[in-house]
Amino acid sequence: MRKSLILLIALCFGRIAFGQYWFGPKIGVNYVNPVYQDDSVEDDLFDVDNDFDFQFGAALNYTATDLYSVYTEIVYERMNRNLKSKPTNNFQIDSKATNSFITIPVMLRVSLGHVPFHYYVNGGPKISYWLSSKGTLFLPSFEENIDPDTNEPIPFEYKVVFNSSDIGDGNVELEDANRLQFGLTAGAGAFFDLANGARLMVDFRYTFGHSNLGFDTKDGNFDFPDDNYVESFEYTMNTISVSVGYLIGYNAEFKRKGRSTDEKSNKKKKK
């Protein structure tokens, strides 16, 4: 059994070395569902709204065989998180945040179908790096600060920083930020062989977030204008995404064969 497994892995990686490479840009939309570690945040205190945002980046697919391939990408993703205090509460809080990430999933892909239409399923781990966060916060204590043009209270605009030396001018520090995020992703899709040799890929995917963005402390994470309010960052991001990619093929094996043929032709010409 062990020998068979080793042989299978060797054949797979050998095929990858001489297989087809597909790479190109992709763009898509995320449907974001923030999930809090503390159930009372969503059950008793706030309405947590799901929201749409976008992603874009580059994809790379290593095709070992017609059936198996390894798919990865590097993508910039934006994910919104919106909180509103429940109507049953006696206080009004409206908090909105936009978080930005660089994400890299690595998935095993199984492809079926025939030229020109193929479909696939894939899944694997996903690593994300938290780049930045910005948002707005409205609290009852802000009602004294009124915009003269709209006659509405002005919310507090902030930007999250990860270094205490950057605090000030609307910058607030998040203590114990968990900037490296882990998750699991799985989905399905299809790609179409185009007349110019490229492929159009349509991908549907669900990502289960495993890591919280931060760890709450007894003193709170943020230095907000109201000392009585603490913003919780003990939540993960689950997403449903739909994306489209344009992939260009490169066949390493054909390239090597072509080079060998050219070398033989040159030798013949020299004779």
Side-chain angles (χ1 to χ4, degrees), residues 124-218:
K126 176 181 177 180
I127 299 175
S128 303
Y129 185 73
W130 189 12
L131 294 175
S132 63
S133 180
K134 62 181 180 179
T136 59
L137 174 67
F138 173 80
L139 299 173
S141 59
F142 297 171
E143 291 182 352
E144 298 178 359
N145 192 8
I146 302 295
D147 187 333
D149 296 328
T150 62
N151 203 31
E152 295 289 336
I154 301 175
F156 174 64
E157 296 184 3
Y158 66 89
K159 179 181 178 182
V160 176
V161 295
F162 306 103
N163 192 326
S164 58
S165 62
D166 296 326
I167 295 176
D169 296 329
N171 293 347
V172 289
E173 182 187 11
L174 176 62
E175 298 176 3
D176 298 324
N178 189 20
R179 301 188 69 182
L180 191 62
Q181 306 280 310
F182 297 93
L184 294 174
T185 185
F191 53 88
F192 308 88
D193 294 314
L194 304 178
N196 62 354
R199 282 180 173 176
L200 182 66
M201 179 181 69
V202 180
D203 186 78
F204 302 88
R205 196 179 306 171
Y206 177 79
T207 299
F208 169 74
H210 183 268
S211 306
N212 291 328
L213 271 71
F215 304 97
D216 291 348
T217 64
K218 63 180 181 179

Side-chain angles (χ1 to χ4, degrees), residues 30 54-55 75-79 99-101 103 126 128:
N30 294 329
F54 68 89
Q55 59 167 267
V75 173
Y76 170 83
E77 287 187 299
R78 269 194 8 175
M79 300 184 190
N99 302 301
S100 298
F101 301 87
T103 65
K126 176 181 177 180
S128 303

Side-chain angles (χ1 to χ4, degrees), residues 25-47:
K26 63 163 291 186
I27 188 170
V29 177
N30 294 329
Y31 182 66
V32 185
N33 173 32
V35 179
Y36 278 83
Q37 189 76 23
D38 184 358
D39 293 337
S40 66
V41 173
E42 298 182 61
D43 294 340
D44 304 325
L45 301 176
F46 294 99
D47 289 323

Side-chain angles (χ1 to χ4, degrees), residues 4-115:
S4 301
L5 181 60
I6 293 174
L7 180 60
L8 178 61
I9 295 173
L11 288 173
C12 182
F13 278 91
R15 291 286 191 118
I16 289 176
F18 296 97
Q20 186 85 16
Y21 297 75
W22 296 92
F23 58 92
K26 63 163 291 186
I27 188 170
V29 177
N30 294 329
Y31 182 66
V32 185
N33 173 32
V35 179
Y36 278 83
Q37 189 76 23
D38 184 358
D39 293 337
S40 66
V41 173
E42 298 182 61
D43 294 340
D44 304 325
L45 301 176
F46 294 99
D47 289 323
V48 183
D49 294 335
N50 299 338
D51 204 353
F52 289 94
D53 220 309
F54 68 89
Q55 59 167 267
F56 64 87
L60 178 63
N61 193 34
Y62 303 86
T63 303
T65 67
D66 290 338
L67 185 61
Y68 297 106
S69 63
V70 177
Y71 177 86
T72 187
E73 60 192 28
I74 180 166
V75 173
Y76 170 83
E77 287 187 299
R78 269 194 8 175
M79 300 184 190
N80 294 330
R81 187 239 54 204
N82 300 324
L83 296 179
K84 262 187 182 176
S85 53
K86 290 182 178 293
T88 54
N89 292 333
N90 296 324
F91 55 88
Q92 181 185 0
I93 295 176
D94 191 346
S95 176
K96 298 179 180 179
T98 299
N99 302 301
S100 298
F101 301 87
I102 289 291
T103 65
I104 302 176
V106 179
M107 296 184 284
L108 176 64
R109 174 171 291 184
V110 179
S111 301
L112 302 170
H114 302 283
V115 176

Side-chain angles (χ1 to χ4, degrees), residues 238-253:
N238 295 341
T239 61
I240 298 173
S241 64
V242 180
S243 62
V244 177
Y246 180 82
L247 305 182
I248 301 171
Y250 173 80
N251 194 307
E253 186 175 4

